[in-house]
Amino acid sequence: MKQNYLYHILFWLLSFVLCAFLLSYDNNWKEALLLAIIYLPITIVSAYLISNYLIPTYLLKGRKGRFVVYVIYLIISAIFLTLLINTLVFILIADLQYNLMPPATRDLAILNTVLFLIVFLFVAINSIEKWRKTENEKNEAIKNMAEAELRFLKSQLNPHFLFNTMNNLYALSLKKSDKAPEMILRLSALLEYILENSKKDLIKLSDEIKTLEDYIYVESFRFGDRLVIEKSIQVQNTEIIIIPPLILITLMENCFKHAGKNNIEKLSINYSLQETDDKLKISFSNNFIEGEHNPKAIGLKNIESQLSYIYKQDYELRKTVENGIFKIEITIPIKRK
């Protein structure tokens, strides 16, 4: 607010100098400065009335007719005031002698053109500044809403993931397996990863891959020999590439959920990461029973929201279903640390 006041003071100081320069005649600066002091208040009042009252009250609310009418009224009133001041100058200063009047006051057209040139210059600059401020506030609001939505989506994802993994641990404890401690250790690493990194926008690909392996390890106990996983990682350096957190886990979770649902056959899951032409292609596929797959699963919706928030329109996401195989392919620009 203080900065705005400084801008306005600076504008009117420059306008005062400009007005004096335009009204000067034969380098009579004393006379020009006096005229600027006399006439400039009309300009200031007119400028603020248009900018701070008429525009927001009528123009921005769609009442354009009234806006035009009131601007015309304001111009007529300002011209009347300049005529009144000219008359006083003619009577009090020029002693009723036209040739003794200051040259700038003799031509009302030039005088009013100068005054209203300053008015419309102020209105234009002030309107642009208000528009810029409004756009910044709108963009900030949109950004805050997007971040809030993303935090909400992640808060949905974490309990969903925890529910499945805790079920796995329960199933293992019922079997009294000696591998339970290792599973608890892997699960602990998963939970630590989620707590530390789920709030971040981007995380190292190597960390995502390691966490994905922990997740697969945990899930493998539930499915045993039924599980067949094939993977292919064709990335030069996973340490410097960064991607949104929990993307890989969510995709794998979706595979386990739908491949294992009511399926007594082998669970076939395939995933690959491929780096080509500054793009990272992520591919996950799984078999499923026809009619059991839900392509609108919340996990996949969360992924789409994450990708849209981080990459805007610069990503591709394709889902295909063919011969009992569901496949999702994501292509994103490669970001590096």
Side-chain angles (χ1 to χ4, degrees):
M1 186 66 70
K2 184 177 180 181
Q3 191 177 29
N4 286 339
Y5 285 136
L6 292 176
Y7 285 153
H8 286 201
I9 291 172
L10 179 61
F11 175 86
W12 290 115
L13 285 175
L14 293 174
S15 297
F16 175 75
V17 174
L18 176 63
C19 184
F21 174 77
L22 294 175
L23 294 175
S24 63
Y25 177 78
D26 199 21
N27 292 326
N28 190 343
W29 284 100
K30 183 177 180 181
E31 180 183 280
L33 293 172
L34 178 62
L35 290 173
I37 292 172
I38 294 173
Y39 289 105
L40 201 58
I42 299 175
T43 303
I44 294 173
V45 172
S46 299
Y48 280 109
L49 277 175
I50 294 174
S51 183
N52 294 349
Y53 180 71
L54 295 182
I55 289 179
T57 304
Y58 297 104
L59 184 61
L60 296 183
K61 293 183 179 180
R63 303 159 72 181
K64 298 178 182 178
R66 288 198 176 188
F67 173 75
V68 172
V69 170
Y70 286 133
V71 168
I72 292 173
Y73 284 165
L74 183 62
I75 292 173
I76 293 173
S77 299
I79 292 174
F80 173 76
L81 288 175
T82 58
L83 281 171
L84 181 60
I85 293 173
N86 272 15
T87 302
L88 293 176
V89 170
F90 180 65
I91 295 173
L92 301 178
I93 298 177
D95 196 22
L96 302 177
Q97 297 183 50
Y98 182 77
N99 61 325
L100 294 180
M101 291 183 67
T105 64
R106 298 176 193 173
D107 193 331
L108 287 175
I110 293 178
L111 178 61
N112 283 290
T113 298
V114 170
L115 296 179
F116 279 99
L117 176 66
I118 296 173
V119 169
F120 290 117
L121 182 62
F122 173 82
V123 171
I125 294 174
N126 201 41
S127 297
I128 292 172
E129 177 61 23
K130 286 183 177 179
W131 174 83
R132 187 189 64 81
K133 183 179 178 182
T134 301
E135 283 296 305
N136 288 342
E137 291 175 351
K138 184 177 75 173
N139 292 335
E140 187 66 24
I142 292 173
K143 179 182 177 183
N144 291 338
M145 287 177 63
E147 290 177 349
E149 180 184 7
L150 187 60
R151 287 194 296 270
F152 174 71
L153 291 173
K154 287 179 178 177
S155 72
Q156 285 184 313
L157 175 65
N158 295 349
H160 186 214
F161 169 75
L162 286 173
F163 177 76
N164 285 340
T165 52
M166 291 304 294
N167 273 346
N168 295 344
L169 182 59
Y170 175 70
L172 192 62
S173 65
L174 289 178
K175 297 178 182 179
K176 302 184 184 301
S177 172
D178 294 336
K179 296 181 180 180
E182 176 66 17
M183 181 178 179
I184 293 174
L185 185 65
R186 297 285 188 112
L187 179 58
S188 175
L190 283 171
L191 296 179
E192 182 180 7
Y193 179 84
I194 291 173
L195 290 173
E196 289 184 357
N197 299 306
S198 63
K199 294 181 180 179
K200 298 178 181 179
D201 287 340
L202 297 166
I203 197 73
K204 288 194 300 184
L205 178 59
S206 59
D207 291 341
E208 276 287 292
I209 293 173
K210 181 181 181 302
T211 306
L212 177 63
E213 293 297 326
D214 287 340
Y215 178 77
I216 293 172
Y217 181 87
V218 171
E219 285 281 37
S220 65
F221 284 95
R222 184 156 62 104
F223 298 102
D225 294 337
R226 294 169 53 205
L227 178 63
V228 177
I229 293 183
E230 296 180 3
K231 69 176 181 178
S232 173
I233 300 178
Q234 300 176 27
V235 180
Q236 289 185 357
N237 190 344
T238 60
E239 288 289 333
I240 63 174
I241 294 177
I242 50 179
I243 66 171
L246 306 181
I247 289 287
L248 301 185
I249 294 177
T250 305
L251 290 170
M252 182 59 74
E253 181 185 29
N254 187 72
C255 291
F256 274 114
K257 179 180 178 181
H258 297 291
K261 193 173 183 180
N262 299 324
N263 193 342
I264 61 174
E265 303 296 333
K266 291 284 185 179
L267 279 73
S268 178
I269 298 175
N270 184 291
Y271 73 93
S272 65
L273 305 172
Q274 184 177 13
E275 177 184 356
T276 55
D277 299 328
D278 290 329
K279 298 285 185 180
L280 179 65
K281 184 177 181 180
I282 303 170
S283 177
F284 278 73
S285 64
N286 62 270
N287 61 339
F288 69 97
I289 295 178
E290 297 287 350
E292 295 293 342
H293 184 72
N294 178 17
K296 296 182 179 179
I298 187 172
L300 299 184
K301 290 177 64 177
N302 289 348
I303 287 176
E304 290 188 66
S305 296
Q306 271 188 289
L307 295 175
S308 178
Y309 172 74
I310 294 173
Y311 299 105
K312 309 305 179 188
Q313 302 298 321
D314 193 18
Y315 75 94
E316 293 181 12
L317 188 149
R318 290 197 309 161
K319 306 173 195 174
T320 57
V321 179
E322 186 176 358
N323 299 325
I325 300 294
F326 174 78
K327 186 175 184 179
I328 181 167
E329 294 177 317
I330 297 172
T331 304
I332 56 177
I334 290 181
K335 294 179 179 286
R336 294 179 171 86
K337 289 183 62 177

